Amino acid sequence: ALNPATPVGNILPIIQDIDLVLIMTVNPGFGGQSFIAFTLEKIRELKRELIARGLERVHIEVDGGVNEQTAKQVIEAGADVLVAGTAIFRENNRAEAIRRLRG
């Protein structure tokens, strides 16, 4: 797991040994925080590194501030596993909220 302020480079020495990297897109601590925009570049950087090293099997997960708008952005940046809490649980129709996140 990489917090927003933790550089992608910190994980690269062991990247070949892992299956998933979690990029926190908020500062850990509590739900309902706003997505931190600069984390999109971290996702892109990690995706580039994975491709360059032939490690496309490594999943990129994001957690924090995931909603209908940010879900599209993180997927375009290279993430393939999304954690969404508030965007789903604040809704009365959670199945519909999940459908909207999936696009």
Side-chain angles (χ1 to χ4, degrees), residues 8 23 35-48 77:
V8 169
I23 300 207
F35 183 85
I36 299 173
F38 73 78
T39 59
L40 286 170
E41 183 51 38
K42 287 180 69 169
I43 298 165
R44 290 184 197 105
E45 178 184 356
L46 177 58
K47 186 66 172 183
R48 286 190 301 267

Side-chain angles (χ1 to χ4, degrees), residues 1-49:
L2 299 176
N3 286 331
T6 306
V8 169
N10 285 13
I11 197 110
L12 295 181
I14 61 163
I15 197 72
Q16 71 281 352
D17 298 322
I18 60 177
D19 297 313
L20 181 143
V21 177
L22 168 61
I23 300 207
M24 293 299 299
T25 49
V26 299
N27 289 305
F30 60 91
Q33 295 181 61
S34 296
F35 183 85
I36 299 173
F38 73 78
T39 59
L40 286 170
E41 183 51 38
K42 287 180 69 169
I43 298 165
R44 290 184 197 105
E45 178 184 356
L46 177 58
K47 186 66 172 183
R48 286 190 301 267
E49 284 288 341

Side-chain angles (χ1 to χ4, degrees), residues 84-99:
T86 302
I88 294 170
F89 292 108
R90 72 170 178 227
E91 299 292 327
N92 290 328
N93 186 339
R94 293 180 180 147
E96 175 62 20
I98 292 168
R99 187 197 62 73

